[in-house]
């Protein structure tokens, strides 16, 4: 099992490597992709979602921005050595919004400004996300960053790979929580740079979703109940930094907003719950992922139903705060 986990869980969110900017990708409606890219299946507006017709949305950041885990990946983003996993079934799919997706699995904060390359995942360097979207001025920009900067995948590797419960090492868990709590300044700078580029339009920083159920006591494979509690605490600490960073950056750009509603969007459907909207790390999933890099990346990410829930939580929050959006849906 340790071998299987090593081959799979290491890809949960990963850590992007930085190189000089490379050939830009073409940004356009629905996704930022290479010139030959197309969604694997069309996304049709769902009944009752016409409120977002004509609203342009840009997705920036890491795997949770790109739609990792949702499937329906745009061509060129789910092939050997090139797996940003930008999904047509991620954020705002099924709405009438005009979505540009520039997110990329394993992206870190500096990949907004610098290219992203990794021998296994991004052999052809991904351009800086700002470079890829330089012509875009969307009504709403959604930014999800920080998970890879605190090395969430590597931290959780320690829990899954070790036969011992990783929470028995107090220095390990406290160090991880400190790392999550120390991200405020870097995130605030990132949000300000995004706001500066979108000319006063709305910038949203959603909370990372809790991926494991609050009452998780079984059904998690190699994740013990104590480790599930630690994972929830780590995401909560990261969200505290996201919130603080958004509030700090909003002192300069008032249209930057933290979205708290997404943290509990998957409640009752976490990776340890009976009907998960998250890709689990149960033995069958690990066996599948050991033979498929694409499946390996999806572990502990929302599935398509999960992104529906995340989108519902975010759009519901926007509906309750209509003055926030520069172009109100």
């Amino acid at each position: 099992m340790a071998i299987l986990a090593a081959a799979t869980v290491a890809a949960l969110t990963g850590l992007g490597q930085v190189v000089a900017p490379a050939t830009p990708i073409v940004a356009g409606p629905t996704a930022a992709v290479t010139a030959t890219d197309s969604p694997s299946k069309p996304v049709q507006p769902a009944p009752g979602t016409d409120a977002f017709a004509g609203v342009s949305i840009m997705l920036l950041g890491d795997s949770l921005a790109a739609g990792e885990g949702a499937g329906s990946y745009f061509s060129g983003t789910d092939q050997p050595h090139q797996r940003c996993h930008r999904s047509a079934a991620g954020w705002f799919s099924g709405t009438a919004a005009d979505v540009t997706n520039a997110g990329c699995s394993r992206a870190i904060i500096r990949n907004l400004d610098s290219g992203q390359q990794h021998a296994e995942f991004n052999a052809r360097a991904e351009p800086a996300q700002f470079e890829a979207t330089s012509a875009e001025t969307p009504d709403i920009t959604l930014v999800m960053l920080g998970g890879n900067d605190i090395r969430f995948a590597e931290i959780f590797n320690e829990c899954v790979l070790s036969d011992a419960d990783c929470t028995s090492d107090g220095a390990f868990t406290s160090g991880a929580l400190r790392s999550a709590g120390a991200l405020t300044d870097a995130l605030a700078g990132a949000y300000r740079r995004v706001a500066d580029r979108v000319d006063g339009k709305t910038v949203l920083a959603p909370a990372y979703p809790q991926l494991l159920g609050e009452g998780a006591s079984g059904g998690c494979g190699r994740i013990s109940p104590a480790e599930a509690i630690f994972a929830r605490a780590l995401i909560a600490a990261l969200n505290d930094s996201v919130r603080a960073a958004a509030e700090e950056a909003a002192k300069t750009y008032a249209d930057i907003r933290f979205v708290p509603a997404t943290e509990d969007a998957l409640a009752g459907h976490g990776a340890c719950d009976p009907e998960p909207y998250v890709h689990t790390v149960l033995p069958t999933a690990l066996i599948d992922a050991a033979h498929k890099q694409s499946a390996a990346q999806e572990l502990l990410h929302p599935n398509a139903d999960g992104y529906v829930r995340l989108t519902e939580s975010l759009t519901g929050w926007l509906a309750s705060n209509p003055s926030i959006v520069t172009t109100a849906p």
Side-chain angles (χ1 to χ4, degrees):
M1 183 62 72
I3 294 174
L4 292 176
T8 56
V9 182
L12 289 178
T13 49
L15 182 62
Q17 301 298 314
V18 178
V19 297
T23 304
I25 50 182
V26 179
T30 309
V33 291
T34 60
T36 58
D37 287 343
S38 61
S40 58
K41 66 178 182 181
V43 178
Q44 299 296 329
T49 58
D50 290 342
F52 283 88
V55 177
S56 58
I57 295 171
M58 182 188 298
L59 307 177
L60 295 177
D62 57 23
S63 57
L64 267 293
E68 177 75 77
S72 299
Y73 301 121
F74 290 87
S75 65
T77 73
D78 184 29
Q79 61 189 34
H81 311 299
Q82 213 68 41
R83 297 196 190 277
C84 274
H85 274 187
R86 299 186 183 104
S87 177
W91 291 94
F92 290 94
S93 66
T95 75
D98 179 9
V99 181
T100 297
N101 188 340
C104 187
S105 188
R106 294 162 305 281
I108 56 177
I109 290 172
R110 59 185 175 182
N111 292 138
L112 289 175
D113 308 280
S114 302
Q116 179 179 343
Q117 188 168 30
H118 185 282
E120 185 175 4
F121 302 111
N122 307 98
R124 182 184 72 247
E126 295 289 335
Q129 293 185 24
F130 282 161
E131 177 185 345
T133 59
S134 59
E136 302 289 324
T137 307
D139 299 313
I140 300 172
T141 301
L142 183 152
V143 185
M144 295 205 76
L145 285 166
N148 295 323
D149 294 86
I150 67 168
R151 303 165 69 89
F152 181 87
E154 295 180 22
I155 290 168
F156 221 66
N157 269 346
E158 292 294 322
C159 298
V160 176
L161 293 178
S162 175
D163 289 333
D165 189 314
C166 70
T167 63
S168 63
D169 184 345
F172 169 75
T173 54
S174 61
L177 293 169
R178 282 196 304 272
S179 177
L183 206 58
T184 299
D185 289 346
L187 283 172
Y191 301 151
R192 283 191 289 264
R193 294 197 303 278
V194 172
D196 185 58
R197 295 176 67 91
V198 298
D199 195 26
K201 298 296 183 67
T202 301
V203 177
L204 300 179
Y208 279 83
Q210 289 289 354
L211 301 171
L212 304 176
E214 187 170 2
S217 60
C220 282
R222 291 180 62 92
I223 304 172
S224 73
E227 288 169 333
I229 292 171
F230 166 59
R232 289 183 59 83
L234 185 60
I235 290 176
L238 174 59
N239 285 337
D240 284 344
S241 287
V242 173
R243 175 191 51 75
E247 291 174 354
E248 179 62 29
K251 295 176 182 177
T252 306
Y253 296 93
D255 293 308
I256 299 171
R257 301 289 179 144
F258 173 62
V259 183
T262 50
E263 180 165 8
D264 294 321
L266 305 181
H269 295 280
C272 303
D273 292 319
E275 187 183 355
Y277 290 173
V278 177
H279 291 272
T280 70
V281 288
L282 295 173
T284 52
L286 291 174
I287 291 170
D288 182 45
H291 298 93
K292 293 171 58 180
Q293 186 191 72
S294 184
Q297 287 186 211
E298 294 178 335
L299 295 175
L300 287 188
H301 284 81
N303 59 23
D305 289 332
Y307 284 100
V308 169
R309 283 293 186 92
L310 286 166
T311 296
E312 289 174 347
S313 67
L314 187 145
T315 56
W317 183 83
L318 286 174
S320 298
N321 297 274
S323 63
I324 287 177
V325 182
T326 307
T327 299

